[in-house]
């Protein structure tokens, strides 16, 4: 799940300065769960913008705004409202915003900050456990990610800042390395911790990342 | 003056430790800015009283005059630098390049640290690097000593350093610390300075465990000057891996205001003496944190004169 938070309304208003007619896009998946771009938030945004004197030409919510073809289709289906708009306010992650970018030549504005790929721990509690490093090492660390859950991404054990299981950066956050150590100990696999991990390949996913399926049945036997 | 120093001479730290003598090191914290006069005074004050001086590297993630420049300055002023290198602000390319430069300027001793995190410092919005960390840094240097950078490319002229690292005797829990200590040795650490130690009984227990793991790595006890009851309270509450025991805290509390500094001096002198007399470790590392001018008094009170050791 992509975790987003809402930008302050004043910031959104500033983005829309000089634009009278706005089309709002919300997302039925992540942004709905994060309560940043679901039905309720889109309706509220519409009302607040109208109260500020804007005209909302249309507002749609659909699954996977990040799906570019899907977004193009949704825009075609809502042709009139889309064409009447000066600009688009996108209430979901940065990927969704840029998906909308592919569907129009007009101004596109983000309504959210995109913060991390997160786990849902319970309603309204999200936690980053994977930072998409491109070369997963979970196998060696008891399925607890040192790259993400240790603030410094250390692969070889806790820093001197670990404090009774909490991280030096934030007493509210667990020290990832204490978690890993306890896990490996429980599993009787401390030998994995004893092993030295050399420099990590931080270019395993060279930015901007790109994956393309190989076509089956081509080239091979 | 010759700027390029190519021949390999053993750094003083290595000479002293390998000769089985007790090592005494101090610390220089570079200032924030170009006014380095006071730092130069401190270097002059310490250079003949300690075997070597650590130079902190943007300590506590606070931007300061560079550690490498200070190390060279110490060298030029006739002192012995122990260059601290952290992984927070530089990636592997930058660290390797700095090490090449350091070597050509006669720096022969480096202390490898991961570094504090960005949020504890004064550039809270900076991007943290951590391309590598302490264990990998030790390995990286060892590779450079074998003639290769971390990209696997051959070096035209290599390096050789006496490689140090840090260990935290008062970390809770201690077990993962000890495993990491062992890994650092395996990665090439030849000697250790500990994080601040106050509880000498705990330090003794730590030393027993450490000696069991390795009888080859030298270990020097890190001591931080106590200056007030407030500082003690602050450290106990906020500095991970640092614990000032009850009796020392009381000794400081009982001291009248004007005698706090001399109480701190007395406490540290006593600890240094204990390390020497009870042969607890291979040396001490004195961190006076801004009060470098009292280091001579500490050494005097401890009866330590490196010229007579
Ligand atoms: S190692 Fe961590 S950051 Fe990398 S892919 Fe695995 S879980 Fe994600
Ligand atoms: S305290 Fe733990 S999680 Fe935080 S940086 Fe250190 S090792 Fe990593």
């Amino acid at each position: 799940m992509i975790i987003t938070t809402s930008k302050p309304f004043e910031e959104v208003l500033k983005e829309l300065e000089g634009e009278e007619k706005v089309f709002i896009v919300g997302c039925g998946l992540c942004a709905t769960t994060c309560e940043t771009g679901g039905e309720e938030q889109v309706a509220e945004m519409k009302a607040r913008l109208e109260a500020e004197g804007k005209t909302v030409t249309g507002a749609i919510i659909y699954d996977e705004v990040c799906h570019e073809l899907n977004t193009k289709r949704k825009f075609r289906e809502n042709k009139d409202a889309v064409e009447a708009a000066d600009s688009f306010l996108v209430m979901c992650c940065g990927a969704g915003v840029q998906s909308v970018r592919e569907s129009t030549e007009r101004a596109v504005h983000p309504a959210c900050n995109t913060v991390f790929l997160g786990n849902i721990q319970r309603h309204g509690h999200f936690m980053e456990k994977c930072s998409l490093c491109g070369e997963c090492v979970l196998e060696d660390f008891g399925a607890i990610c040192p790259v993400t859950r240790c603030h410094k991404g250390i692969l070889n054990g806790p820093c001197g800042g670990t404090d009774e299981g909490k991280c030096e950066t934030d007493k509210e956050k667990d020290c990832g390395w204490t978690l890993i150590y306890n896990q490996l100990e429980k599993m009787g696999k401390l030998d994995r911790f004893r092993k030295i991990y050399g420099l990590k390949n931080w270019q395993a996913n060279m930015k901007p990342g790109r994956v393309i399926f190989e076509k089956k049945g081509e080239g091979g036997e | 003056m010759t700027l390029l120093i190519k021949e390999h001479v053993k750094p003083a730290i290595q000479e002293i430790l390998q000769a089985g003598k007790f090592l005494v090191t101090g610390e220089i914290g570079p200032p924030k800015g170009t006014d380095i006069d006071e730092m130069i005074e401190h270097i002059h004050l310490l250079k003949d009283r300690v075997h070597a001086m650590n130079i902190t590297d943007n300590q506590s993630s606070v931007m300061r005059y560079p550690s490498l420049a200070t190390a060279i300055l110490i060298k030029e002023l006739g002192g012995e630098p122990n260059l601290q290198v952290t992984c927070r602000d530089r990636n592997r390319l930058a660290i390797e390049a700095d090490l090449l430069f350091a070597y050509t300027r006669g720096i022969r001793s480096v202390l490898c640290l991961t570094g504090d995190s960005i949020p504890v410092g004064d550039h809270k919005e900076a991007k943290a690097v951590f391309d590598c960390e302490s264990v990998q840094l030790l390995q990286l240097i060892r590779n450079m000593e074998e003639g290769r950078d971390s990209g696997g490319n051959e070096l035209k002229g290599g390096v050789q350093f006496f490689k140090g690292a840090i260990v935290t005797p008062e970390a809770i829990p201690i077990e993962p610390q000890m495993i990491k200590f062992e890994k650092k040795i395996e990665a090439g650490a030849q000697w250790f300075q500990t994080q601040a130690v106050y509880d000498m009984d705990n330090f003794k227990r730590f030393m027993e465990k450490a000696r069991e793991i390795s009888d080859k790595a030298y270990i020097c006890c890190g001591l931080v000057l106590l200056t007030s009851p407030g500082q003690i309270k602050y450290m106990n509450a906020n500095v991970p891996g640092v614990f000032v025991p009850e009796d020392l805290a009381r000794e400081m509390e009982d001291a009248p205001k004007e005698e706090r500094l001399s109480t701190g001096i007395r406490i540290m002198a006593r600890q240094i003496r204990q390390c020497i007399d009870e042969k607890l470790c291979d040396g001490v590392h004195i961190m006076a944190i801004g009060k470098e001018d009292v280091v001579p008094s500490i050494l005097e009170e401890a009866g330590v004169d490196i010229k007579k050791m």
Side-chain angles (χ1 to χ4, degrees):
Chain A
M1 159 98 30
I2 304 298
I3 309 304
T4 48
T5 57
S6 301
K7 283 182 180 289
F9 184 65
E10 299 68 47
E11 190 179 334
V12 172
L13 265 191
K14 204 158 188 321
E15 291 177 355
L16 295 172
E17 228 167 46
E19 292 158 4
E20 294 313 316
K21 295 175 191 141
V22 184
F23 186 92
I24 303 175
V25 179
C27 179
L29 295 178
C30 305
T32 291
T33 309
C34 293
E35 299 183 0
T36 53
E39 300 257 1
E40 227 175 275
Q41 297 78 40
V42 168
E44 192 194 329
M45 179 62 82
K46 180 170 180 286
R48 288 184 87 174
L49 290 179
E50 283 169 349
E52 293 290 333
K54 307 268 182 203
T55 304
V56 175
T57 66
I60 50 170
I61 299 163
Y62 55 95
D63 290 357
E64 291 183 326
V65 178
C66 56
H67 193 312
E68 297 187 358
L69 291 178
N70 199 11
T71 297
K72 284 198 172 114
R73 192 169 54 240
K74 291 288 172 192
F75 271 46
R76 278 197 303 272
E77 285 169 17
N78 292 275
K79 197 160 168 268
D80 292 345
V82 163
E83 282 189 350
D86 298 326
S87 67
F88 298 84
L89 181 64
V90 189
M91 299 176 67
C92 65
C93 69
V97 178
Q98 294 179 71
S99 182
V100 172
R101 168 80 290 157
E102 295 297 321
S103 298
T104 175
E105 288 299 321
R106 270 166 278 165
V108 177
H109 303 288
C112 300
N113 289 317
T114 307
V115 280
F116 52 85
L117 164 64
N119 289 24
I120 307 165
Q121 297 186 300
R122 58 187 156 103
H123 178 76
H125 287 236
F126 307 107
M127 168 93 195
E128 185 178 21
K129 295 194 171 181
C130 168
S131 44
L132 315 167
C133 76
E135 197 177 66
C136 193
V137 297
L138 280 174
E139 177 58 21
D140 278 342
F141 298 90
I144 296 172
C145 174
V147 177
T148 310
R149 301 186 68 187
C150 164
H151 174 82
K152 298 173 190 167
I154 303 174
L155 296 183
N156 285 296
C159 75
T162 174
D163 196 12
E164 295 180 51
K166 297 294 170 193
C167 176
E168 72 174 27
T169 56
D170 185 342
K171 284 190 179 121
E172 300 295 311
K173 287 185 185 163
D174 289 330
C175 163
W177 261 103
T178 307
L179 299 176
I180 295 170
Y181 178 83
N182 291 342
Q183 184 63 40
L184 291 177
E185 192 187 32
K186 240 185 282 169
M187 292 161 49
K189 294 229 159 104
L190 277 179
D191 52 313
R192 302 215 172 157
F193 175 15
R194 288 179 196 280
K195 193 180 126 194
I196 292 180
Y197 292 87
L199 293 167
K200 189 159 167 56
N201 175 11
W202 298 114
Q203 297 296 340
N205 169 38
M206 224 197 296
K207 261 191 199 172
R210 189 173 155 96
V211 171
I212 296 175
F213 283 171
E214 274 176 46
K215 283 204 186 107
K216 287 192 186 99
E218 245 182 37
E221 280 157 58
Chain B
M1 189 167 67
T2 52
L3 291 179
L4 298 178
I5 306 172
K6 286 193 173 160
E7 83 282 11
H8 187 74
V9 271
K10 270 191 194 178
I13 297 173
Q14 189 175 10
E15 288 275 4
I16 302 287
L17 289 172
Q18 290 180 346
K21 294 189 194 156
F22 193 82
L23 182 76
V24 181
T25 55
E27 188 159 291
I28 293 293
K32 184 187 271 300
T34 55
D35 187 352
I36 57 175
D37 293 350
E38 193 186 350
M39 178 174 79
I40 290 176
E41 264 172 49
H42 288 158
I43 295 170
H44 279 299
L45 194 69
L46 291 187
K47 74 182 169 72
D48 298 317
R49 290 187 169 88
V50 295
H51 293 117
M53 286 168 255
N54 277 31
I55 312 101
T56 52
D57 179 10
N58 289 336
Q59 191 176 27
S60 307
S61 309
V62 171
M63 190 285 295
R64 293 159 198 271
Y65 192 76
S67 58
L68 182 49
T70 307
I72 291 165
L73 187 62
I74 290 176
K75 203 84 208 149
E76 286 168 354
L77 295 173
E80 187 67 27
N82 180 30
L83 177 69
Q84 293 193 186
V85 179
T86 71
C87 305
R88 179 195 53 242
D89 310 325
R90 286 177 291 262
N91 68 4
R92 60 189 89 170
L93 275 82
I95 291 176
E96 286 170 345
D98 275 0
L99 289 170
L100 294 180
F101 175 55
Y103 187 77
T104 62
R105 297 299 288 270
I107 312 288
R108 295 291 181 266
S109 171
V110 291
L111 191 78
C112 301
L113 302 98
T114 297
D116 291 318
S117 58
I118 287 285
V120 306
D122 71 345
H123 281 50
K124 293 191 189 301
E125 298 187 358
K127 186 167 187 173
V129 179
F130 298 120
D131 181 19
C132 50
E133 21 92 333
S134 54
V135 175
Q136 294 167 342
L137 175 57
L138 286 158
Q139 263 191 335
L140 172 153
I141 297 176
R142 196 163 58 189
N143 285 340
M144 288 178 81
E145 290 175 337
E146 287 164 6
R148 291 195 180 271
D149 66 17
S150 60
N153 312 295
E154 211 172 303
L155 297 175
K156 189 168 168 237
V159 298
Q160 209 180 324
F161 293 108
F162 191 54
K163 299 178 288 300
I166 288 287
V167 61
T168 308
E170 294 184 2
I172 303 171
I174 188 71
E175 296 80 11
Q177 265 297 314
M178 299 314 290
I179 296 180
K180 196 166 181 190
F181 167 74
E182 197 173 350
K183 288 172 81 167
K184 285 181 176 179
I185 297 171
E186 201 186 322
Q190 294 157 288
W191 74 295
F192 287 82
Q193 288 178 327
T194 73
Q195 293 281 39
V197 164
Y198 292 102
D199 184 339
M200 298 310 273
D201 291 331
N202 185 55
F203 181 61
K204 279 187 213 168
R205 286 191 291 274
F206 160 79
M207 282 305 297
E208 275 165 31
K209 281 191 214 122
R211 295 287 195 225
E212 257 170 50
I213 290 171
S214 167
D215 51 9
K216 282 193 203 77
Y218 303 100
I219 299 170
C220 298
C221 179
L223 298 168
V224 171
L225 183 67
L226 295 175
T227 52
S228 70
Q231 175 216 24
I232 295 176
K233 267 193 207 107
Y234 176 83
M235 288 200 303
N236 278 346
N238 297 300
V239 186
V242 170
F243 174 69
V244 184
E246 216 24 72
D247 54 332
L248 290 189
R250 207 169 316 115
E251 192 172 340
M252 185 58 81
E253 261 163 44
D254 291 346
K257 214 171 178 179
E258 63 284 359
E259 280 172 30
R260 282 177 186 167
L261 189 56
S262 58
T263 303
I265 293 171
R266 186 176 68 229
I267 292 172
M268 197 193 279
R270 198 167 66 216
Q271 290 167 328
I272 295 174
R273 216 44 260 172
Q274 191 179 359
C275 287
I276 299 175
D277 294 342
E278 298 182 24
K279 294 193 169 47
L280 293 184
C281 50
D282 303 298
V284 286
H285 176 57
I286 300 172
M287 294 173 268
I289 317 194
K291 294 243 178 318
E292 280 71 21
D293 47 326
V294 306
V295 172
S297 318
I298 298 171
L299 293 172
E300 205 175 304
E301 189 147 346
V304 170
D305 181 350
I306 60 163
K307 290 184 206 94
K308 293 188 192 136
M309 285 172 92

